[in-house]
Amino acid sequence: MVKRKRHQILEKTVSRENPSSTSGGAQGSTSPQTPLGALTTIQIITGSYEKTLHGITATIVDDCKVATGKSPVIEFTDTFLFNAHGGAIRCLALSPPSKQQKMVLATGSSDQIINLYHISAQDSQPRDPTILSTTPLTDHRILDKSKNRELGSLQYHNAGVNVLQFPSRSKLLSGADDNSVAICRTRDWTVLSTIKVPSPKVQGRASGDTAPLGGGLTGVNAFAIHPSMKLMVSVSKGEKCMRLWNLATGKKAGVLNFDKELLQAIGEGKLERGEGLKVEWNDLGEEFAVSFERGAIIFGLDSKPRARVMLAPTRRIHQIRYLGTAKDGKYGSATLAISTEDGRIVFFSTSKTTGGDNSESKTGRLIPFCCVLGQVGGTHEGIQNRIKDFEIITLSRTNQLRGSILLVAGCSNGFIHIWMLAKDQLEGMVPSDLHDSKFLQCNEMPHLGRLLGSYDTGKRITCLKAFVKSELSQDFLEKSQTRHEYLEGSLVNNDNSAST
């Protein structure tokens, strides 16, 4: 358990004004002061149904304790809070950092507007008390950073924006409910091209309250861009297919239908729509995954299904992510993580599969199941609310956490949870057949990593982004440490003089 730990100088100042004040909003333990070089800061950004954009930093204070398995210490700090949109925020996107360590944050909402913000990618002065403040209404720590500011807004869609992505710093792609994918140039924010997705045909189903007479639900649910940035895969509402697009020409490259047998293999019955909800490429571009209501299909470069992902018992899937490949290639591109309705993130190996009897398939084609590696969250850790979105971060700094994996998840009840997995934990896991009756009766899905901390945002989270902030130079850290010692000594001297 982790709690928000305020700075020692701030604690002295507050204790003189209100000795009974305590910190709240996060849970955990405290530790003695640690060297500045042991800090790892994660910037977390969340969007919510309440139309707000919330920025939080999570700082792992003592890397040595985390690496050795002792009680970790995390400090949560509010960095910004914007009333961003007139409707619920649906999606977020972050651009690669510039030379000035700035990133562009794009937010999409049901109000048809895309808002843009400048976000600093460089770590702030972690031990300078002059930049920390508290509000009279809450005991949350607040870091006021002038580099986090609003940049402007774009409005070239005629319906709510569902998905945003920066394939590079120079381009922004957006998909909306008006059945279009816009390609925007970030230099002057001009729309270079618009890809029109065909509207689906209504096939004897209810059109919904928001659809026009005789119409149906339309819009781009998700798209994923190949690492070569020449190919894009998209899935749309009301369509039992996925579309391939040539980004060099902006034209359709092909349409792949989801046949009845494939949909039945992942639990899509007659009452389900059979449409793809999420799509994700692995970092090597060798395969991609398409998720549905209660399952996912793994496709190869030949666009043929390789394997399927299903939970037993079945649960609704909200997000899918591939792990980044480690430098030694032991894990990553063949590991898929999915978030579920019951507060878990489950890891599957897409390279190790298990099949059944071919008699299950009328055509003789059998899609094998992906083997499960383990999970985090769930009732075992007291987490039962749906995980709407999550990010996977592989730490690459030169300290004891190098190669470790951080999972940052946002739940529908407003909590942010952070887990850490050891660098060799996924490598040592033995894949298990989740659909084997013996496994279901005699074994429980293995739990991975440990929960480092939780933070209550007070808002119903819909989407989330996270990244590791870049380290400051050693000269700056030394100056910050010197200033911290000077201010702390001045405060002690003032206390002594006041007592005399």
Side-chain angles (χ1 to χ4, degrees):
M1 300 293 291
V2 179
K3 85 172 183 181
R4 181 177 304 126
K5 170 175 164 284
R6 300 183 58 189
H7 199 275
Q8 295 178 0
I9 294 180
L10 287 176
E11 288 179 348
K12 294 179 181 179
T13 305
V14 175
S15 61
R16 290 185 297 179
E17 299 176 356
N18 184 12
S20 62
S21 63
T22 56
S23 60
Q27 304 168 348
S29 58
T30 60
S31 73
Q33 184 165 335
T34 54
L36 290 177
L39 298 178
T40 301
T41 303
I42 310 297
Q43 176 67 64
I44 306 170
I45 305 168
T46 64
S48 65
Y49 284 110
E50 286 77 12
K51 314 168 190 177
T52 57
L53 188 67
H54 195 175
I56 308 105
T57 57
T59 304
I60 303 177
V61 179
D62 194 345
D63 289 354
C64 299
K65 285 193 174 184
V66 176
T68 56
K70 298 181 180 179
S71 299
V73 178
I74 288 186
E75 294 181 357
F76 291 97
T77 304
D78 295 328
T79 53
F80 59 85
L81 182 65
F82 296 125
N83 189 8
H85 289 275
I89 299 177
R90 296 181 177 179
C91 54
L92 304 174
L94 283 170
S95 70
S98 63
K99 295 181 180 179
Q100 294 78 21
Q101 293 299 312
K102 290 184 178 180
M103 305 175 74
V104 177
L105 169 66
T107 65
S109 171
S110 57
D111 61 1
Q112 310 176 11
I113 298 175
I114 300 174
N115 284 341
L116 304 172
Y117 302 88
H118 264 153
I119 303 297
S120 175
Q122 193 174 49
D123 201 356
S124 301
Q125 306 176 33
R127 294 294 179 185
D128 192 343
T130 61
I131 62 174
L132 295 176
S133 61
T134 56
T135 65
L137 300 179
T138 179
D139 201 27
H140 292 189
R141 291 203 316 169
I142 300 174
L143 176 62
D144 186 12
K145 194 168 183 62
S146 59
K147 293 183 179 180
N148 298 333
R149 58 185 177 86
E150 188 174 358
L151 185 61
S153 60
L154 306 173
Q155 189 172 5
Y156 43 76
H157 286 290
N158 298 323
V161 181
N162 294 327
V163 56
L164 293 167
Q165 186 174 348
F166 283 96
S168 64
R169 185 167 176 81
S170 61
K171 299 292 187 298
L172 169 65
L173 274 71
S174 59
D177 284 338
D178 57 359
N179 279 340
S180 66
V181 177
I183 303 175
C184 182
R185 183 173 56 196
T186 60
R187 185 178 60 188
D188 51 5
W189 302 108
T190 301
V191 178
L192 301 178
S193 178
T194 301
I195 299 175
K196 293 293 184 180
V197 180
S199 299
K201 296 180 180 179
V202 181
Q203 299 178 353
R205 63 177 179 84
S207 60
D209 297 335
T210 59
L213 183 62
L217 298 176
T218 61
V220 178
N221 280 333
F223 60 76
I225 301 173
H226 191 268
S228 65
M229 288 185 280
K230 297 180 180 179
L231 179 67
M232 180 178 72
V233 181
S234 69
V235 289
S236 302
K237 296 179 181 179
E239 286 191 326
K240 297 182 179 181
C241 67
M242 60 181 177
R243 298 180 182 273
L244 306 179
W245 303 91
N246 186 345
L247 293 181
T249 61
K251 296 182 179 180
K252 181 179 65 177
V255 179
L256 302 175
N257 295 317
F258 303 137
D259 56 26
K260 182 178 179 180
E261 183 182 355
L262 184 139
L263 294 176
Q264 289 179 349
I266 54 172
E268 291 287 317
K270 295 181 180 179
L271 300 180
E272 280 76 19
R273 297 177 182 175
E275 63 188 34
L277 301 178
K278 302 289 183 181
V279 59
E280 185 86 3
W281 283 95
N282 69 342
D283 57 342
L284 300 180
E286 297 176 347
E287 65 182 32
F288 63 94
V290 179
S291 71
F292 299 84
E293 192 79 12
R294 292 177 175 82
I297 297 292
I298 312 299
F299 293 89
L301 279 177
D302 54 359
S303 300
K304 294 182 179 180
R306 289 183 177 179
R308 53 178 163 165
V309 172
M310 285 192 69
L311 294 170
T314 59
R315 292 289 186 270
R316 184 177 179 182
I317 296 175
H318 289 276
Q319 186 60 273
I320 58 174
R321 302 283 186 198
Y322 273 100
L323 266 70
T325 304
K327 292 184 178 180
D328 53 10
K330 292 184 179 180
Y331 64 88
S333 61
T335 303
L336 180 69
I338 65 172
S339 65
T340 65
E341 181 81 7
D342 54 356
R344 294 181 296 161
I345 298 178
V346 187
F347 296 88
F348 290 88
S349 173
T350 60
S351 61
K352 298 178 181 180
T353 60
T354 178
D357 188 4
N358 286 337
S359 61
E360 298 178 1
S361 173
K362 296 181 180 180
T363 61
R365 184 187 67 177
L366 179 66
I367 304 176
F369 289 101
C370 293
C371 292
V372 67
L373 297 176
Q375 68 176 9
V376 298
T379 56
H380 177 74
E381 296 176 350
I383 302 173
Q384 299 180 3
N385 294 87
R386 65 180 69 92
I387 296 179
K388 297 289 289 185
D389 201 355
F390 68 97
E391 284 288 331
I392 301 175
I393 302 174
T394 302
L395 300 179
S396 58
R397 294 185 178 184
T398 56
N399 54 25
Q400 295 192 28
L401 297 181
R402 181 179 179 88
S404 300
I405 300 173
L406 285 179
L407 295 176
V408 184
C411 295
S412 59
N413 63 345
F415 274 86
I416 297 173
H417 303 288
I418 301 179
W419 291 273
M420 175 171 286
L421 278 70
K423 62 184 73 176
D424 56 348
Q425 194 166 11
L426 280 176
E427 302 170 10
M429 294 303 299
V430 178
S432 304
D433 184 4
L434 187 61
H435 299 269
D436 186 3
S437 59
K438 296 181 180 179
F439 175 78
L440 292 176
Q441 294 175 2
C442 304
N443 295 279
E444 185 182 8
M445 191 181 299
H447 293 271
L448 304 175
R450 59 186 181 276
L451 182 65
L452 296 186
S454 300
Y455 181 89
D456 186 10
T457 63
K459 308 293 182 182
R460 296 173 296 167
I461 296 175
T462 57
C463 48
L464 179 144
K465 288 293 180 182
F467 63 92
V468 178
K469 285 201 167 188
S470 60
E471 293 177 329
L472 297 173
S473 62
Q474 188 64 29
D475 294 338
F476 181 84
L477 292 175
E478 292 175 356
K479 292 179 181 178
S480 178
Q481 177 71 18
T482 303
R483 181 174 180 177
H484 163 65
E485 293 173 353
Y486 170 76
L487 291 173
E488 188 177 20
S490 299
L491 184 59
V492 172
N493 294 333
N494 292 336
D495 290 342
N496 294 334
S497 61
S499 61
T500 57

